[in-house]
Amino acid sequence: MATHGEQLYEGKAKILYATEDPNLVIQYFKDDATAFNAQKRGTIMDKGACNNKMSSHLFQLLEASGVPTHFVKQLSDREMLVKKLQIVPLEVTIRNITAGGMAKLLGIEEGIVLARPVFEWHYKSDALGDPLINDDHILALNLATSDELETIRQLSHRVNDMLSAYFAKRGIDLVDFKLEFGRHDGQILLGDEISPDTCRFWEQGTRRKLDKDRFRRDLGDVEAAYQEMLRRVLE
Ligand code: TMP
């Protein structure tokens, strides 16, 4: 483990530590897993190391294709050095195939290939269960500016285009995913992580689930699914 300063924040899956540089923080990836707003808790062995490696790889790929991210470098198995963000209190979800929250919200089956990607804003609040909101809510409550919303929307669609193509080449459908953004030096950067915790990955053809739904829905072989996704991402 690299030396790090005081703990700034502990979330459900990660801890943030200060560094000597006030502009940089360390993201430490835990094995802890929660679902349904932490009503279900568990551990997924080696998840922290897996999600750190996968996110580090994907952030570098996205940077190279013009998506600015908070990634600086991978420090160790479970530690990533990142630019310190003032988090925008929104979670972006993009969906390519119906599943999870969208299937439930609209009472439709999972697995329908959408005619176009569906972009959703959610208000980042554990207490409220990250409710779905629209641009008006965000602007009326000054959660972000309209320029920031436009930037986040464009970057999110670019992430979807990039990652959908990247995973398709590896035999995986990117069903949906969640992104978080923050402000750093007046610029909007992609933050958080990109991993089986934050994406739905289905094997093409079989639709075998290779993501956190195996934990959420007690499908078994959770660790193996995370390791298989890491292998596929790095190949
Ligand atoms: P949902 O269908 O439950 O709304 O989830 C959409 C995507 O967002 C899915 O890929 C899993 C991810 N996600 C998170 O990263 N964090 C969360 O707290 C939730 C509910 C979903």
Side-chain angles (χ1 to χ4, degrees):
M1 231 163 75
T3 52
H4 51 64
E6 61 162 324
Q7 182 174 315
L8 299 173
Y9 172 80
E10 177 158 12
K12 286 176 285 204
K14 294 187 291 296
I15 304 174
L16 285 186
Y17 293 103
T19 68
E20 282 160 16
D21 184 336
N23 288 311
L24 300 176
V25 296
I26 293 170
Q27 277 202 133
Y28 177 91
F29 289 73
K30 302 191 283 186
D31 285 351
D32 298 354
T34 62
F36 314 116
N37 211 3
Q39 288 176 58
K40 180 182 172 86
R41 292 172 181 275
T43 302
I44 300 174
M45 205 181 40
D46 291 334
K47 173 170 86 74
C50 172
N51 287 3
N52 187 22
K53 269 190 214 112
M54 191 184 298
S55 295
S56 295
H57 186 84
L58 295 175
F59 279 140
Q60 289 173 81
L61 208 83
L62 291 169
E63 283 277 355
S65 58
V67 176
T69 79
H70 68 159
F71 180 81
V72 178
K73 69 173 172 177
Q74 194 187 324
L75 293 176
S76 70
D77 248 18
R78 289 169 183 276
E79 291 170 312
M80 182 193 287
L81 185 66
V82 296
K83 294 175 186 165
K84 187 170 188 175
L85 298 181
Q86 184 204 3
I87 283 286
V88 177
L90 299 170
E91 297 192 357
V92 167
T93 302
I94 293 197
R95 303 177 189 274
N96 298 304
I97 298 177
T98 60
M102 179 173 171
K104 195 168 168 205
L105 180 74
L106 300 177
I108 50 179
E109 62 183 305
E110 297 197 311
I112 301 167
V113 177
L114 293 159
R116 47 178 274 176
V118 170
F119 180 101
E120 295 172 358
W121 299 113
H122 292 256
Y123 179 49
K124 192 172 158 61
S125 162
D126 279 346
L128 301 174
D130 302 333
L132 191 63
I133 55 172
N134 68 28
D135 292 54
D136 277 346
H137 295 110
I138 298 167
L139 295 173
L141 294 170
N142 291 315
L143 300 178
T145 67
S146 55
D147 279 357
E148 287 175 332
L149 292 194
E150 195 43 40
T151 301
I152 292 173
R153 192 188 301 272
Q154 279 180 16
L155 291 175
S156 300
H157 281 295
R158 202 178 306 163
V159 170
N160 188 35
D161 292 345
M162 259 291 306
L163 293 188
S164 291
Y166 187 83
F167 285 110
K169 275 192 218 142
R170 287 157 178 79
I172 297 291
D173 281 329
L174 179 60
V175 172
D176 57 31
F177 57 93
K178 184 264 291 181
L179 302 175
E180 295 185 33
F181 292 84
R183 310 176 181 100
H184 180 89
D185 268 352
Q187 198 192 2
I188 290 285
L189 303 181
L190 176 61
D192 197 47
E193 66 179 294
I194 303 175
S195 72
D197 275 15
T198 63
C199 305
R200 285 196 173 91
F201 298 124
W202 290 359
E203 184 178 51
Q204 285 178 350
T206 66
R207 296 201 154 177
R208 184 163 59 100
K209 296 183 197 328
L210 291 168
D211 56 65
K212 194 174 163 190
D213 270 349
R214 300 206 74 84
F215 168 79
R216 293 189 190 98
R217 303 179 186 191
D218 296 319
L219 299 176
D221 296 326
V222 184
E223 280 85 1
Y226 276 70
Q227 294 305 325
E228 179 173 345
M229 277 311 303
L230 179 61
R231 262 198 318 279
R232 289 193 189 224
V233 164
L234 299 180
E235 79 190 14

